[in-house]
Coordinates of all heavy atoms in Angstrom, one line a residue:
T1 N -129.6 -7.3 84.2 CA -128.6 -6.5 84.9 C -128.2 -5.3 84.0 O -128.3 -5.4 82.7 CB -127.4 -7.3 85.3 OG1 -126.8 -7.8 84.1 CG2 -127.8 -8.4 86.3
L2 N -127.7 -4.2 84.6 CA -127.2 -3.1 83.8 C -126.1 -3.5 82.9 O -125.3 -4.4 83.2 CB -126.8 -2.0 84.7 CG -127.8 -1.3 85.5 CD1 -127.2 -0.3 86.5 CD2 -128.9 -0.7 84.6
Q3 N -126.1 -2.9 81.7 CA -125.1 -3.2 80.6 C -125.2 -4.6 80.0 O -124.3 -4.9 79.2 CB -123.7 -2.9 81.1 CG -123.4 -1.5 81.6 CD -123.7 -0.5 80.5 OE1 -123.2 -0.6 79.4 NE2 -124.5 0.5 80.8
A4 N -126.2 -5.3 80.3 CA -126.4 -6.6 79.7 C -126.9 -6.4 78.2 O -127.6 -5.5 77.9 CB -127.5 -7.4 80.4
S5 N -126.4 -7.2 77.3 CA -126.7 -7.1 75.9 C -128.2 -7.6 75.7 O -128.6 -8.5 76.3 CB -125.8 -8.0 75.1 OG -124.5 -7.5 75.1
V6 N -128.9 -6.9 74.8 CA -130.2 -7.3 74.4 C -130.4 -7.0 72.9 O -129.8 -6.2 72.3 CB -131.2 -6.4 75.3 CG1 -131.2 -5.0 74.9 CG2 -132.6 -7.0 75.1
V7 N -131.3 -7.9 72.3 CA -131.6 -7.7 70.9 C -133.1 -7.5 70.8 O -133.9 -8.2 71.5 CB -131.2 -9.0 70.1 CG1 -131.7 -9.0 68.7 CG2 -129.7 -9.2 70.2
V8 N -133.6 -6.6 70.0 CA -135.0 -6.3 69.8 C -135.4 -6.6 68.3 O -134.7 -6.2 67.4 CB -135.3 -4.8 70.1 CG1 -136.8 -4.5 69.9 CG2 -134.9 -4.5 71.5
V9 N -136.5 -7.4 68.2 CA -136.9 -7.8 66.8 C -138.3 -7.2 66.6 O -139.1 -7.2 67.5 CB -137.0 -9.3 66.8 CG1 -137.4 -9.8 65.4 CG2 -135.6 -10.0 67.1
G10 N -138.5 -6.7 65.4 CA -139.8 -6.2 65.1 C -140.0 -5.9 63.6 O -139.1 -6.3 62.8
Y11 N -141.1 -5.3 63.2 CA -141.4 -5.0 61.8 C -141.8 -3.5 61.8 O -143.0 -3.2 61.9 CB -142.5 -5.9 61.4 CG -142.7 -6.0 59.9 CD1 -141.9 -6.8 59.1 CD2 -143.6 -5.1 59.2 CE1 -142.0 -6.9 57.7 CE2 -143.7 -5.2 57.8 CZ -142.9 -6.0 57.1 OH -143.0 -6.1 55.7
P12 N -140.9 -2.6 61.6 CA -141.2 -1.2 61.6 C -142.0 -0.7 60.5 O -142.0 -1.3 59.4 CB -139.8 -0.5 61.6 CG -138.9 -1.5 61.0 CD -139.5 -2.9 61.3
K13 N -142.8 0.3 60.7 CA -143.6 1.0 59.7 C -142.7 1.4 58.5 O -141.7 2.0 58.8 CB -144.4 2.2 60.2 CG -145.5 1.8 61.1 CD -146.3 3.1 61.5 CE -147.4 2.8 62.5 NZ -148.0 4.0 63.0
G14 N -143.2 1.2 57.3 CA -142.4 1.6 56.2 C -141.3 0.7 55.7 O -140.7 0.8 54.7
G15 N -141.1 -0.4 56.6 CA -140.1 -1.4 56.2 C -140.7 -2.5 55.4 O -141.9 -2.6 55.3
D16 N -139.8 -3.2 54.8 CA -140.2 -4.3 54.0 C -139.7 -5.7 54.5 O -139.8 -6.7 53.8 CB -139.9 -4.1 52.5 CG -138.4 -3.9 52.2 OD1 -137.6 -3.9 53.2 OD2 -138.0 -3.8 51.1
C17 N -139.1 -5.6 55.7 CA -138.6 -6.9 56.3 C -138.5 -6.7 57.8 O -138.6 -5.6 58.3 CB -137.2 -7.2 55.7 SG -135.9 -6.0 55.9
I18 N -138.1 -7.7 58.5 CA -138.0 -7.7 59.9 C -136.8 -6.9 60.3 O -135.7 -6.9 59.6 CB -137.9 -9.1 60.5 CG1 -139.2 -9.8 60.2 CG2 -137.5 -9.1 61.9 CD1 -139.7 -10.7 61.2
S19 N -136.9 -6.1 61.4 CA -135.8 -5.3 61.9 C -135.2 -5.9 63.1 O -135.9 -6.4 64.0 CB -136.3 -3.9 62.2 OG -135.4 -3.2 63.0
V20 N -133.9 -6.0 63.2 CA -133.2 -6.5 64.4 C -132.2 -5.4 64.8 O -131.3 -5.0 64.1 CB -132.4 -7.8 64.1 CG1 -131.7 -8.3 65.3 CG2 -133.4 -8.9 63.6
T21 N -132.4 -4.9 66.1 CA -131.4 -4.0 66.6 C -130.9 -4.5 67.9 O -131.5 -5.2 68.6 CB -132.1 -2.6 66.9 OG1 -133.3 -2.8 67.7 CG2 -132.6 -2.0 65.6
K22 N -129.6 -4.1 68.2 CA -128.9 -4.5 69.4 C -128.7 -3.3 70.3 O -128.5 -2.2 69.8 CB -127.6 -5.2 69.0 CG -127.7 -6.4 68.2 CD -126.3 -7.0 67.9 CE -126.4 -8.2 67.0 NZ -125.1 -8.7 66.6
G23 N -128.6 -3.6 71.6 CA -128.3 -2.6 72.6 C -127.9 -3.2 73.9 O -127.7 -4.4 74.0
V24 N -127.9 -2.3 74.9 CA -127.6 -2.7 76.3 C -128.7 -2.2 77.2 O -129.3 -1.2 76.9 CB -126.2 -2.3 76.7 CG1 -125.2 -3.0 75.9 CG2 -126.1 -0.8 76.8
V25 N -128.9 -2.8 78.4 CA -129.8 -2.4 79.4 C -129.1 -1.2 80.1 O -127.9 -1.3 80.5 CB -130.0 -3.5 80.4 CG1 -130.8 -2.9 81.6 CG2 -130.8 -4.6 79.8
S26 N -129.8 0.0 80.1 CA -129.2 1.2 80.7 C -129.9 1.6 82.0 O -129.4 2.5 82.7 CB -129.2 2.3 79.7 OG -130.5 2.5 79.2
R27 N -131.1 1.1 82.3 CA -131.9 1.5 83.4 C -132.9 0.4 83.8 O -133.6 -0.1 82.9 CB -132.5 2.8 83.1 CG -133.2 3.5 84.3 CD -133.8 4.8 83.9 NE -134.4 5.5 85.0 CZ -135.2 6.5 84.9 NH1 -135.5 7.0 83.7 NH2 -135.8 7.0 85.9
V28 N -133.1 0.2 85.1 CA -134.1 -0.7 85.6 C -134.9 0.0 86.7 O -134.3 0.3 87.7 CB -133.5 -2.0 86.1 CG1 -134.6 -3.0 86.6 CG2 -132.7 -2.7 85.0
V29 N -136.2 0.3 86.5 CA -137.0 1.0 87.5 C -138.4 0.5 87.5 O -138.9 -0.1 86.5 CB -137.0 2.5 87.2 CG1 -135.6 3.1 87.4 CG2 -137.6 2.9 85.9
M30 N -139.2 0.9 88.5 CA -140.7 0.7 88.5 C -141.2 2.0 87.9 O -140.8 3.1 88.2 CB -141.2 0.5 89.9 CG -140.7 -0.7 90.6 SD -141.0 -2.3 89.7 CE -142.8 -2.5 90.1
H31 N -142.2 1.8 86.9 CA -142.7 2.9 86.2 C -144.2 2.7 85.8 O -144.6 1.5 85.6 CB -141.9 3.1 84.9 CG -142.1 4.4 84.2 ND1 -141.8 5.6 84.7 CD2 -142.7 4.6 83.0 CE1 -142.1 6.6 83.8 NE2 -142.7 6.0 82.8
N32 N -145.0 3.7 85.6 CA -146.3 3.6 85.1 C -146.3 3.1 83.7 O -145.7 3.7 82.8 CB -147.1 4.9 85.2 CG -147.8 5.2 86.5 OD1 -147.9 4.3 87.3 ND2 -148.3 6.4 86.7
Y33 N -147.0 2.0 83.4 CA -147.1 1.4 82.1 C -148.1 2.3 81.3 O -149.2 2.5 81.7 CB -147.5 0.0 82.2 CG -147.6 -0.8 80.9 CD1 -146.6 -0.9 80.0 CD2 -148.8 -1.4 80.5 CE1 -146.7 -1.5 78.8 CE2 -149.0 -2.1 79.3 CZ -147.9 -2.1 78.5 OH -148.0 -2.8 77.3
S34 N -147.7 2.8 80.2 CA -148.5 3.8 79.5 C -149.8 3.2 78.9 O -150.7 4.0 78.7 CB -147.7 4.4 78.3 OG -147.3 3.4 77.4
H35 N -150.0 1.9 78.8 CA -151.2 1.4 78.2 C -152.2 0.9 79.3 O -153.4 0.8 78.9 CB -150.9 0.2 77.3 CG -150.0 0.6 76.2 ND1 -150.4 1.3 75.1 CD2 -148.7 0.4 75.9 CE1 -149.4 1.5 74.2 NE2 -148.3 1.0 74.7
S36 N -151.8 0.8 80.5 CA -152.7 0.3 81.5 C -152.7 1.2 82.8 O -153.5 1.0 83.7 CB -152.4 -1.1 81.9 OG -151.2 -1.2 82.7
N37 N -151.7 2.1 82.9 CA -151.6 2.9 84.1 C -151.2 2.1 85.3 O -151.5 2.6 86.4 CB -152.7 3.9 84.3 CG -152.3 5.1 85.1 OD1 -151.2 5.5 85.0 ND2 -153.3 5.6 85.8
Q38 N -150.7 0.9 85.2 CA -150.3 0.1 86.3 C -148.8 0.3 86.5 O -148.0 0.5 85.5 CB -150.6 -1.4 86.1 CG -152.0 -1.7 86.1 CD -152.3 -3.2 85.9 OE1 -151.3 -4.0 85.9 NE2 -153.5 -3.6 85.9
V39 N -148.3 0.2 87.7 CA -146.8 0.3 88.0 C -146.2 -1.1 87.8 O -146.6 -2.0 88.4 CB -146.6 0.9 89.4 CG1 -145.1 0.9 89.7 CG2 -147.2 2.2 89.6
L40 N -145.3 -1.1 86.8 CA -144.6 -2.4 86.5 C -143.1 -2.2 86.4 O -142.6 -1.0 86.2 CB -145.1 -2.9 85.1 CG -146.6 -3.2 85.0 CD1 -147.0 -3.5 83.6 CD2 -147.0 -4.4 85.9
L41 N -142.3 -3.2 86.4 CA -140.9 -3.2 86.2 C -140.6 -2.8 84.8 O -141.2 -3.3 83.8 CB -140.3 -4.6 86.5 CG -138.8 -4.6 86.3 CD1 -138.1 -3.8 87.4 CD2 -138.3 -6.1 86.5
T42 N -139.8 -1.8 84.6 CA -139.5 -1.2 83.3 C -138.0 -1.3 83.1 O -137.2 -0.9 84.0 CB -140.0 0.3 83.2 OG1 -141.4 0.3 83.4 CG2 -139.7 0.8 81.8
I43 N -137.6 -1.7 81.9 CA -136.2 -1.8 81.6 C -135.9 -0.9 80.4 O -136.5 -1.1 79.3 CB -135.7 -3.2 81.3 CG1 -136.0 -4.1 82.6 CG2 -134.3 -3.3 80.9 CD1 -135.8 -5.6 82.4
Q44 N -135.1 0.1 80.6 CA -134.7 1.0 79.4 C -133.5 0.4 78.7 O -132.5 0.0 79.4 CB -134.4 2.4 80.0 CG -134.1 3.4 78.9 CD -133.8 4.7 79.4 OE1 -134.2 5.1 80.6 NE2 -133.2 5.6 78.6
I45 N -133.6 0.4 77.4 CA -132.5 -0.1 76.6 C -132.1 0.9 75.6 O -132.9 1.8 75.3 CB -132.8 -1.5 75.9 CG1 -134.0 -1.3 75.0 CG2 -133.1 -2.5 76.9 CD1 -134.4 -2.5 74.2
D46 N -130.9 0.8 75.0 CA -130.5 1.8 74.0 C -130.6 1.3 72.6 O -130.2 1.9 71.7 CB -129.1 2.3 74.3 CG -128.0 1.3 74.1 OD1 -128.3 0.1 73.9 OD2 -126.8 1.6 74.1
A47 N -131.3 0.2 72.4 CA -131.6 -0.3 71.0 C -132.7 0.5 70.4 O -133.6 1.0 71.1 CB -132.0 -1.8 71.1
A48 N -132.6 0.8 69.1 CA -133.6 1.6 68.4 C -134.9 0.9 68.4 O -135.0 -0.2 67.9 CB -133.1 2.0 67.0
I49 N -135.9 1.6 68.8 CA -137.3 1.1 68.8 C -138.1 2.1 68.0 O -138.2 3.3 68.5 CB -137.9 0.8 70.1 CG1 -137.0 -0.2 70.9 CG2 -139.3 0.3 70.0 CD1 -137.4 -0.5 72.3
N50 N -138.7 1.8 66.9 CA -139.5 2.7 66.1 C -140.9 2.3 66.0 O -141.2 1.2 66.3 CB -138.8 2.9 64.7 CG -137.4 3.4 64.8 OD1 -137.2 4.5 65.3 ND2 -136.5 2.6 64.3
S51 N -141.7 3.2 65.5 CA -143.2 2.9 65.3 C -143.3 1.6 64.4 O -142.6 1.5 63.4 CB -143.8 4.0 64.6 OG -143.8 5.2 65.4
G52 N -144.1 0.7 64.9 CA -144.3 -0.5 64.2 C -143.5 -1.7 64.7 O -144.1 -2.8 64.8
N53 N -142.3 -1.5 65.2 CA -141.6 -2.7 65.8 C -141.8 -2.7 67.3 O -141.3 -3.6 68.0 CB -140.1 -2.9 65.3 CG -139.2 -1.8 65.8 OD1 -139.6 -0.7 66.2 ND2 -137.9 -2.1 65.7
S54 N -142.5 -1.7 67.8 CA -142.9 -1.8 69.2 C -143.8 -3.0 69.4 O -144.6 -3.3 68.5 CB -143.7 -0.5 69.5 OG -144.1 -0.5 70.8
G55 N -143.6 -3.7 70.4 CA -144.4 -4.9 70.7 C -143.7 -6.2 70.3 O -144.1 -7.3 70.6
G56 N -142.5 -6.1 69.7 CA -141.7 -7.3 69.4 C -140.9 -7.8 70.6 O -140.8 -7.1 71.6
P57 N -140.3 -8.9 70.5 CA -139.6 -9.5 71.6 C -138.3 -8.8 71.9 O -137.6 -8.4 70.9 CB -139.4 -11.0 71.2 CG -139.4 -10.9 69.8 CD -140.4 -9.8 69.4
A58 N -137.9 -8.7 73.1 CA -136.5 -8.4 73.5 C -135.9 -9.7 74.0 O -136.4 -10.4 74.8 CB -136.6 -7.4 74.7
L59 N -134.7 -10.0 73.4 CA -134.0 -11.2 73.6 C -132.7 -11.1 74.3 O -131.9 -10.1 74.0 CB -133.9 -11.9 72.3 CG -135.1 -12.1 71.4 CD1 -134.7 -12.4 70.0 CD2 -136.0 -13.2 72.0
Q60 N -132.4 -12.0 75.1 CA -131.0 -12.2 75.6 C -130.6 -13.7 75.3 O -131.3 -14.6 75.8 CB -130.9 -12.0 77.1 CG -130.9 -10.5 77.4 CD -130.7 -10.2 78.9 OE1 -131.1 -10.9 79.7 NE2 -129.9 -9.1 79.2
G61 N -129.7 -13.8 74.4 CA -129.4 -15.2 73.9 C -130.6 -15.8 73.2 O -131.2 -15.2 72.4
D62 N -131.0 -17.0 73.7 CA -132.2 -17.6 73.1 C -133.5 -17.5 73.9 O -134.4 -18.2 73.7 CB -131.9 -19.1 72.8 CG -131.6 -19.9 74.0 OD1 -131.5 -19.3 75.1 OD2 -131.4 -21.1 73.9
Q63 N -133.4 -16.5 74.9 CA -134.6 -16.4 75.8 C -135.3 -15.0 75.5 O -134.6 -14.0 75.4 CB -134.2 -16.4 77.2 CG -133.7 -17.8 77.6 CD -133.5 -17.9 79.1 OE1 -133.1 -16.9 79.8 NE2 -133.7 -19.1 79.7
V64 N -136.6 -15.0 75.5 CA -137.3 -13.8 75.5 C -137.4 -13.2 76.9 O -137.8 -13.9 77.8 CB -138.8 -14.0 75.0 CG1 -139.6 -12.7 75.1 CG2 -138.8 -14.5 73.6
V65 N -136.9 -12.0 77.1 CA -136.8 -11.4 78.4 C -137.7 -10.2 78.6 O -137.8 -9.6 79.7 CB -135.3 -11.0 78.8 CG1 -134.4 -12.2 78.8 CG2 -134.8 -10.0 77.7
G66 N -138.4 -9.8 77.5 CA -139.4 -8.7 77.6 C -140.0 -8.4 76.3 O -139.8 -9.1 75.3
V67 N -140.9 -7.4 76.3 CA -141.6 -7.0 75.1 C -141.2 -5.5 74.9 O -141.4 -4.7 75.8 CB -143.1 -7.1 75.2 CG1 -143.8 -6.5 74.0 CG2 -143.5 -8.6 75.4
A68 N -140.6 -5.2 73.8 CA -140.2 -3.8 73.5 C -141.4 -3.0 73.1 O -142.2 -3.4 72.4 CB -139.1 -3.8 72.4
F69 N -141.4 -1.7 73.6 CA -142.4 -0.8 73.1 C -141.9 0.6 73.2 O -141.1 1.0 74.0 CB -143.8 -0.9 73.9 CG -143.8 -0.4 75.3 CD1 -144.2 0.8 75.6 CD2 -143.4 -1.3 76.3 CE1 -144.2 1.3 76.9 CE2 -143.4 -0.8 77.6 CZ -143.8 0.5 77.9
E70 N -142.4 1.4 72.3 CA -142.1 2.8 72.2 C -143.1 3.5 73.1 O -144.3 3.5 72.9 CB -142.3 3.2 70.7 CG -142.0 4.7 70.4 CD -142.4 4.9 69.0 OE1 -143.5 4.6 68.5 OE2 -141.5 5.5 68.3
G71 N -142.5 4.2 74.1 CA -143.4 4.8 75.1 C -143.7 6.3 74.9 O -144.6 6.8 75.6
L72 N -143.1 6.9 73.9 CA -143.4 8.3 73.7 C -144.0 8.5 72.3 O -143.5 7.9 71.3 CB -142.1 9.1 73.7 CG -141.3 9.2 75.0 CD1 -140.0 9.9 74.9 CD2 -142.2 9.8 76.1
T73 N -145.1 9.2 72.2 CA -145.7 9.5 70.9 C -144.8 10.1 69.9 O -144.1 11.0 70.3 CB -147.0 10.4 71.2 OG1 -147.8 9.7 72.1 CG2 -147.7 10.6 69.9
K74 N -144.8 9.6 68.7 CA -143.9 10.1 67.6 C -142.5 10.0 67.9 O -141.7 10.7 67.3 CB -144.4 11.5 67.2 CG -145.8 11.6 66.8 CD -146.1 12.9 66.2 CE -147.6 12.9 65.9 NZ -148.0 13.1 64.6
A75 N -142.0 9.2 68.9 CA -140.6 9.0 69.2 C -140.0 8.0 68.2 O -140.7 7.0 67.9 CB -140.4 8.6 70.6
N76 N -138.8 8.2 67.8 CA -138.1 7.2 67.0 C -136.7 7.1 67.4 O -136.1 8.0 67.9 CB -138.1 7.7 65.5 CG -139.4 7.4 64.8 OD1 -139.9 6.3 64.8 ND2 -140.0 8.5 64.2
N77 N -136.1 5.9 67.2 CA -134.7 5.6 67.6 C -134.4 5.8 69.0 O -133.3 6.3 69.4 CB -133.8 6.5 66.7 CG -133.9 6.1 65.2 OD1 -133.9 4.9 64.9 ND2 -134.0 7.1 64.4
I78 N -135.3 5.5 69.9 CA -135.0 5.6 71.3 C -135.4 4.3 71.9 O -136.3 3.6 71.4 CB -135.7 6.8 72.0 CG1 -137.2 6.6 72.0 CG2 -135.2 8.1 71.4 CD1 -137.9 7.6 72.8
G79 N -134.9 3.9 73.0 CA -135.2 2.7 73.7 C -135.7 2.9 75.1 O -135.6 3.9 75.6

């Protein structure tokens, strides 16, 4: 749901340890998935997602609710 808390875990490029960022759900829409060109449910979050930690789990509590990915080439700190 909108404004629900979410945590994103990953291993960003240039880092030497796991990255954990927190944010909230800001948008829920159907959108073309950039890797397969299929229309899928997409959830936009405001947690920072950088090159390298894309592909890590998005968590709510102890449940995996999605897979985080950076959808724009050379984009940093956007969700």
Side-chain angles (χ1 to χ4, degrees):
T1 60
L2 292 176
Q3 299 301 309
S5 293
V6 66
V7 173
V8 178
V9 180
Y11 196 86
K13 286 183 183 176
D16 57 359
C17 62
I18 296 219
S19 167
V20 178
T21 55
K22 295 180 184 179
V24 297
V25 174
S26 56
R27 185 176 182 198
V28 179
V29 296
M30 298 300 287
H31 190 72
N32 270 350
Y33 181 56
S34 60
H35 300 286
S36 69
N37 204 30
Q38 293 183 1
V39 177
L40 301 170
L41 181 65
T42 303
I43 300 171
Q44 181 177 344
I45 59 175
D46 69 352
I49 300 173
N50 299 302
S51 295
N53 69 342
S54 180
L59 307 164
Q60 284 185 323
D62 61 353
Q63 292 187 331
V64 175
V65 295
V67 175
F69 71 94
E70 179 183 52
L72 298 174
T73 304
K74 299 190 186 241
N76 283 307
N77 294 315
I78 64 172

